[in-house]
Amino acid sequence: MKKIIIPLLIIILGFAIWIKFSKNIRNMDDLKRIAFEMTHDRDKVAEQEAYTIAYNAYLYGFSRVKGLLLEQKATHPQYHDYAPINQFHISKELAKPGFTDFTPNSDTFYGLAWLDVSQGPILFTIPEIPEKYYTIQATDAGLNTFNYIGSRMKSVAGKYAYCKNDWKGDLPVGVIRIDCPTNQVFLQARNLVNPGDEADLKNAYALMSKYTLEPMNKEAKYRSISVESEMVNPLNTNPDFQNLNFFSLLNEALTRNPPLEKEKNLVGQFASLNIGPNMNFDTKKLSEAQIEGLEDGRMAAFRKLYDELKFGGEKLGGFNFRYNMGNYDANYPLCAGVAFYGYGANTAEEAMYVTAVDDSEGNGLTGKNEYKIHFSKEQIPPVNAFWSITMYLRPDNQLVENEIKRYNIGGLTPGLKINTDGSIDIIISNKKPADISNWLPAPEGDFWMILRMYDPKEEIFTRKYVSPDVVIVK
């Protein structure tokens, strides 16, 4: 035994002496430091750090990347609804399948514009609007709504100026200033039309065609896209939403629209992996552990945003209610979820969006089944303007092609039948029923729905209103 113990003690003593002099151990704290370094897995720490950065950067940046791609497509000369930066494209018809790359309503005409206020104010002229629902919603690069012009706001005809909030200068007399948090501004003009009324459709288009945008800085040079360049894909099918090139796109988005003051601490944490404004994200400069952490973090963040609208919010009846849409502050998972399922949602005060992805038994909605939504007289949505239910395909969030060209149904639907007790029954199916008055056509596969309630009444905000269930017809 002594032959074993004595050499072992000599080895241990020698190791201790080596550590003492080579590692400069002076006290117990130094010894603890050396023990930590010898047992510390640097690759594991690097992987965990990359995971955390990817998770937070993906959720924070998803809306910004989506907005970057939507703008690039909308301002591409080959796009069917093309309009250059700082100009409106006014739709000549209600939304239909393929209308746009986010979840539109099919109740209003749209006027869409992407503004760049980095080089000075953009002047907006609006004519007198008849007493009918309309709104112009302004959202920033982070998808937060910061201004409305419209009927609910009792806005007046005249000139407005969208200005970067740090712009210092004088506006023409009578122009109303609107401060913008970011360089990029997305305008959505919506004007209600009477479905099936051709004269009303023409009048709405003629009125919205009088909306004008004009840069105040006549010397400014704004981005333009060459007709020969490839058109980007802003849909969720874009593989860049599912790989690490996402972070290169995020860098581009953050360079054009730097983080707000309140976001700088968060975004600054991404810099160690070269994610941030004016940075070059390059996987060749990262270790295998960092790349693995980025991939895992991105995938975890995607799962979070995908489930956000399904499991977040409050389930009041058959639909899921979110009362904080349109202004997200630091709720980046919700913001990312809204950008994924649509883009540019109204605030609840303007329009309450409530969603249904499951039936009353908790199963996903599919065109393989037939469903009924029974609105009792008391469950008719309480609104000052109007309400409708719109059908969308999953996962691409597009309107559903159908033989009667009906993409939503609601209080303004021509021929909608009301029961003698004041209730309404909505039939949802892929197969055409004998009576189509109250039929909302569904696709063959999976779908989800948005119940929109424009200019909602107080009982919606006090949670007194409970929506009807989506019940499978067996």
Side-chain angles (χ1 to χ4, degrees), residues 2 50 59 75 83 87-88 127 146 207 222-223 238 251 258 301 350 386 392 396 465:
K2 288 183 178 180
L59 291 176
T75 56
Q87 288 189 31
F88 270 115
F146 62 87
L207 180 65
Y222 296 99
R223 290 185 307 277
N238 186 331
N251 283 0
E350 186 68 32
F386 63 98
Y392 299 100
D396 46 358
Y465 176 73

Side-chain angles (χ1 to χ4, degrees), residues 47-222:
E47 181 183 338
Q48 291 172 345
E49 289 177 344
Y51 176 98
T52 301
I53 289 173
Y55 183 85
N56 291 329
Y58 192 87
L59 291 176
Y60 166 80
F62 190 91
S63 62
R64 289 174 173 267
V65 172
K66 191 73 175 282
L68 174 76
L69 297 178
L70 283 168
E71 178 192 301
Q72 288 177 350
K73 184 172 182 180
T75 56
H76 195 291
Q78 292 189 19
Y79 182 51
H80 59 79
D81 287 341
Y82 163 75
I85 290 287
N86 300 325
Q87 288 189 31
F88 270 115
H89 175 273
I90 307 297
S91 57
K92 296 183 179 180
E93 58 185 351
L94 290 170
K96 59 184 180 181
F99 169 75
T100 189
D101 296 316
F102 55 91
T103 48
N105 73 64
S106 196
D107 302 292
T108 68
F109 271 12
Y110 274 95
L112 304 179
W114 294 90
L115 308 187
D116 179 356
V117 298
S118 65
Q119 301 181 65
I122 307 299
L123 301 178
F124 172 46
T125 303
I126 186 169
E128 286 285 351
I129 307 289
E131 287 198 15
K132 203 172 186 180
Y133 178 83
Y134 81 98
T135 183
I136 296 94
Q137 176 190 10
T139 56
D140 65 17
L143 205 52
N144 291 293
T145 299
F146 62 87
N147 182 262
Y148 277 108
I149 297 170
S151 52
R152 181 180 64 89
M153 304 298 293
K154 296 179 171 53
S155 302
V156 297
K159 283 187 178 293
Y160 297 78
Y162 292 98
C163 309
K164 186 68 167 57
N165 51 13
D166 58 1
W167 179 79
K168 294 177 174 60
D170 296 322
L171 293 171
V173 175
V175 174
I176 300 171
R177 175 170 177 151
I178 299 171
D179 279 340
C180 308
T182 58
N183 296 327
Q184 181 193 64
V185 176
F186 180 44
L187 294 185
Q188 294 182 84
R190 303 175 178 94
N191 285 49
L192 178 63
V193 298
N194 299 321
D197 186 337
E198 291 300 323
D200 191 51
L201 299 182
K202 290 179 180 178
N203 290 337
Y205 177 74
L207 180 65
M208 295 182 74
S209 295
K210 296 178 182 177
Y211 291 2
T212 61
L213 292 166
E214 179 185 7
M216 201 170 92
N217 181 1
K218 303 302 181 185
E219 306 299 320
K221 303 294 183 184
Y222 296 99

Side-chain angles (χ1 to χ4, degrees), residues 12-13 21 36 40 52 61 65 81 114 138 157 203 231 234 241 243 261 288 304 317 330 344 352 377 398 400 450:
I12 293 173
L13 180 61
F21 291 101
F36 174 77
H40 192 51
T52 301
V65 172
D81 287 341
W114 294 90
N203 290 337
M231 195 182 303
F241 287 122
N243 63 49
E261 191 64 36
E288 290 184 9
K304 175 67 175 176
M352 191 74 186
K377 184 177 180 180
Q398 291 292 294
V400 176
I450 297 178

